Structure formats: structure tokens, C-alpha cells
Amino acid sequence: MPETRAIPFEHARAAFLEACALDVTTPKPGNVSTQSPGHGMDAAQFLASADASLDALFARGAKVGQRILDAVTRTRAAVGCNTNLGIVLLVAPLAAALDATGDRPLSAQTWRAATDDVLSSLDLDDARLAYRAIALANPGGLGDAPEQSVHAPPTVGLREAMRLASERDSIARQYANGFADLFDTGLAAYQEALPRAHETAPGNPAERAMLNVFLAFLGGWPDSHIVRKHGLALAQSVTLMAREQHARWHHTPPAARRSASDPQLDAWDAKLKAQAINPGTSADLAVATLFVARCIAGAVSPRSHRPDTTGTEPVS
């Protein structure tokens, strides 16, 4: 097991920007990418959103709710639409947990424990601030609920409000379960995608890791964004197709893969966009996973802290 160390603050910020860049440089079925705009948005808006939200998400000592509201406010001012609410909701408590780790060595285990501590401390003020952010982002259907709807003032803390929504929303579930899906499913898929010592493959290993994580989430359970927009039955059909495509892509010999792209996945991407189907929640979870993975890689690597988008490093 490699030794771990604390990571510089600037490395965490760079890892976030890198994960957001990989979100759009990696062709993922149904998602906006540099190769394929969609859903009335393009890659430039997502990159601008990452830049706009960076300082708010990584504001030292800020409450989670304040990070969320400030990030959404700045994103809205920059691009005029909701491009990254899910990413913001996921990264805000993770960034706050990084603050809490201080100078302690960073590993998946220490970060996960610190994140659960942050989630346990979320209060009514965090809920009020987050509700304002969700209302400002105005995502269709998100926040509509029989209990603790964002259209009324909250009466419970943010974690409890998210717990009430966790059965129908995968991002809310992370608040309830301590980001178990990210630290278990997400990081395992990232680790699985790392090239083995005997393997050679063209293209960008980081993009292949992003695609593997995305397909693991999309094939793991119905995407919340698709459920809200199109209903559970269609979302389940997308999940089944994701499992089939993931298995096929995963078993393609590494040397035959071109970057993260694949003709069958490209065709599926076009079909999903033609039907206005966007697996946005799976993409958000993948971005948060890559952020965590790249931070941890920096904590165990003897190399420079400068992020490397052309390769991957092991996660402890």
C-alpha cells in the first residue's frame, strides 16, 4: 500500500477542473461533449460553469449550503442555465470534508469518514441555502416532493431533507448514505479502468476511466434525471442498454479502443439526444468520482501535483 500524504489546496482545485473537463472531452452517450452538443447546450458552457463555480466550492471554512448557493449563483451569471447543479451538490460536501482533513494524509477511507462527519453536521441553515440554490437553478422536477419541497421553507437540516428524497434521487442518496455509491461503485470502476502493466492502448486513459465510471453508474440503477423527465420505465430501459454496452465495450481489447469513444456508443449517443434523453445524474456522479480519484492519486503519487490528463494513477 503506497504511503499517503495531504494534498495541496491548489491540487484539489485543479483536480476539480480536470474532472469537469473530462466530463465534456469524454464522449458519453446522451451527454454533452466537445464532439457532440445536445439538449440546447454545448461543451463551452460546461467548462465556463466549472470555472465560475470553482472559488465558491473551494471557499475555505464555508458552510456546505453557502458553497452550493454561491456556486449556482455564479454559474447562472456565467452561462444563464443549469449546467452543473448536480456536480455542485456532490462536490460541496466533499470539498468541505477536504477542509476538515487539514494536514492529515488523504486516502479514500479518511476522506469518506470526513465526508460523513460533514454530512452529519449539516443544519437548517444549510438546507435554506441549498433550497435557494436549487430554486435558482430551476431544474425541471428536482425538489418537487410531498415532504420538504424546495418550494417551501425547510424545517429540517439538509441531510435529513436529502434523506427524504433519497429513494427517488441518486444525488440525494449520497447525502443519506455518506457517498457510498461514489466511494464504492465509482472508485471501483475507476480502478478497474486503469491500464495494467502489460496493456497498451491508444488515446487517453483518463477518458477511458471517465467512461467506465459513467457506464457503471448508468448501468447500476435508473438515472434520476431520466426518471424525472421521462418516467421509470424508459429510465430502466436505458439502464439495461447501458449494461449491455458497458459489457461489450469493457471486453473490447484495450489496443482496439480509441480513447473513450466507440462507434456503437456514438450511435447510441445520437439516438438518446434525438429523444431528448440525458443521463445527467450518472454524469454528475462520474465527475465527482473522477475529482475524488484524481485528488487521491495526487496524495499517493511521488510526481508533481500538477494534474495529468493523459494518464491515470492508482487510488489507495
Side-chain angles (χ1 to χ4, degrees), residues 30-44:
N31 291 159
V32 172
S33 70
T34 52
Q35 296 89 334
S36 175
H39 315 294
M41 297 176 288
D42 59 34

Side-chain angles (χ1 to χ4, degrees), residues 25-84:
T25 60
T26 305
K28 305 189 308 303
N31 291 159
V32 172
S33 70
T34 52
Q35 296 89 334
S36 175
H39 315 294
M41 297 176 288
D42 59 34
Q45 290 174 296
F46 284 78
L47 295 174
S49 299
D51 288 335
S53 62
L54 179 66
D55 288 342
L57 287 171
F58 292 89
R60 297 276 197 163
K63 291 178 67 65
V64 169
Q66 193 66 58
R67 293 172 196 248
I68 293 169
L69 178 58
D70 289 348
V72 169
T73 300
R74 295 178 191 190
T75 296
R76 195 79 184 183
V79 300
C81 62
N82 170 32
T83 51
N84 66 353

Side-chain angles (χ1 to χ4, degrees), residues 14 26 34 47 60 97 153 209 243 251 273 282 305:
T26 305
T34 52
L47 295 174
R60 297 276 197 163
R243 290 175 186 170
H251 289 97
K273 285 172 180 165
S282 300
H305 293 299

Side-chain angles (χ1 to χ4, degrees), residues 55-248:
D55 288 342
L57 287 171
F58 292 89
R60 297 276 197 163
K63 291 178 67 65
V64 169
Q66 193 66 58
R67 293 172 196 248
I68 293 169
L69 178 58
D70 289 348
V72 169
T73 300
R74 295 178 191 190
T75 296
R76 195 79 184 183
V79 300
C81 62
N82 170 32
T83 51
N84 66 353
L85 175 62
I87 293 171
V88 166
L89 288 170
L90 291 168
V91 171
L94 292 168
L98 275 184
D99 278 355
T101 63
D103 295 329
R104 284 182 289 159
L106 182 68
S107 68
Q109 292 74 26
T110 59
W111 200 346
R112 187 173 188 169
T115 300
D116 201 57
D117 289 342
V118 166
L119 295 171
S120 296
S121 71
L122 297 177
D123 58 19
L124 183 59
D125 193 38
D126 287 300
R128 292 190 185 106
L129 293 164
Y131 274 34
R132 286 172 58 192
I134 294 169
L136 178 62
N138 192 30
L142 183 63
D144 295 331
E147 294 182 89
Q148 301 301 317
S149 167
V150 298
H151 303 297
T155 59
V156 298
L158 182 56
R159 188 175 202 182
E160 180 57 30
M162 290 292 195
R163 186 174 284 116
L164 292 169
S166 62
E167 291 298 317
R168 62 181 182 276
D169 185 88
S170 298
I171 291 174
R173 186 167 68 238
Q174 306 317 303
Y175 280 71
N177 68 15
F179 281 63
D181 297 330
L182 188 155
F183 283 103
D184 292 335
T185 301
L187 289 185
Y190 175 87
Q191 190 75 25
E192 178 188 53
L194 297 180
R196 306 300 187 260
H198 66 282
E199 293 178 346
T200 58
N204 189 327
E207 290 185 7
R208 288 194 294 273
M210 170 62 86
L211 179 58
N212 200 56
V213 173
F214 168 77
L215 289 173
F217 283 129
L218 186 56
W221 51 82
D223 184 282
S224 302
H225 188 264
I226 299 177
V227 173
R228 283 194 299 274
K229 293 288 187 178
H230 300 280
L232 181 59
L234 190 146
Q236 288 174 327
S237 72
V238 172
T239 294
L240 292 174
M241 177 60 74
R243 290 175 186 170
E244 294 176 9
Q245 292 287 352
H246 193 194
R248 180 196 56 77

